[in-house]
Amino acid sequence: REMLFDPLRRKSLIFLFLVFFSFHLVNATTIPLLGQYLAIHDTDRDALPIMSGLTIIESAGAFFMTWYLKGNLRSLEYRIVLLVGCGALSLRLIIISILVNFTDNLWAIGSTNILDGIGVGCLDLMLALYSHLLSRQTGHYNLNMAVISTGSQLGESFSALLGGALATEKSYEFAFP
């Protein structure tokens, strides 16, 4: 008979915890750091509409990615969707690092948020789907969801802590790469 916490011994669940933790660790504080960077470098009072646009761009990217995946998920492997989400984030962070150091075009820097939306759309959908996949025939959906969600929340918390500390101690440009 399976005990309540037996699923915690599954390598796949621990792997997903680490993937979601890592994704949010490197991503969660990017928008607040970007907002502070824009506010500091805002000479024409463009920061407010740009920050509003960043939020809309990210939300739209997540919405359309989730909508696309919902209709095409049967033909896609879950691993591919997870890789696309993490790849979009990696590409976004590389582009932001380059743009922050080589241009002062705030709209160009902010436009990278579409990649954030793609990554978030992929991973948010995968959170529920992987929780379901791991809990087949066991009834441990909520436990799987809790473990993976905890990874996400811990990553977000440490992201804010580390990003803020790096920006305070060094610079906003240093905190991005």
Side-chain angles (χ1 to χ4, degrees), residues 24-41:
H24 288 288
L25 178 67
V26 298
N27 189 45
T29 197
T30 304
I31 289 180
L33 283 175
L34 200 50
Q36 287 295 324
Y37 177 83
L38 293 173
I40 289 170
H41 293 84

Side-chain angles (χ1 to χ4, degrees), residues 23-109:
F23 179 87
H24 288 288
L25 178 67
V26 298
N27 189 45
T29 197
T30 304
I31 289 180
L33 283 175
L34 200 50
Q36 287 295 324
Y37 177 83
L38 293 173
I40 289 170
H41 293 84
D42 183 18
T43 56
D44 300 326
R45 299 232 180 256
D46 288 337
L48 183 60
I50 291 174
M51 280 307 296
S52 299
L54 291 180
T55 305
I56 292 168
I57 289 169
E58 178 194 11
S59 298
F63 171 78
F64 285 110
M65 193 65 196
T66 305
W67 175 74
Y68 171 79
L69 290 173
K70 181 186 169 287
N72 296 300
L73 202 55
R74 287 192 176 103
S75 62
L76 299 171
E77 281 194 45
Y78 288 1
R79 287 176 284 185
I80 301 296
V81 176
L82 196 63
L83 287 174
V84 167
C86 292
L89 170 68
S90 301
L91 182 60
R92 173 186 185 229
L93 294 176
I94 290 168
I95 292 170
I96 285 178
S97 297
I98 292 168
L99 290 175
V100 163
N101 290 299
F102 294 110
T103 186
D104 58 354
N105 184 335
L106 303 180
W107 286 103
I109 294 168

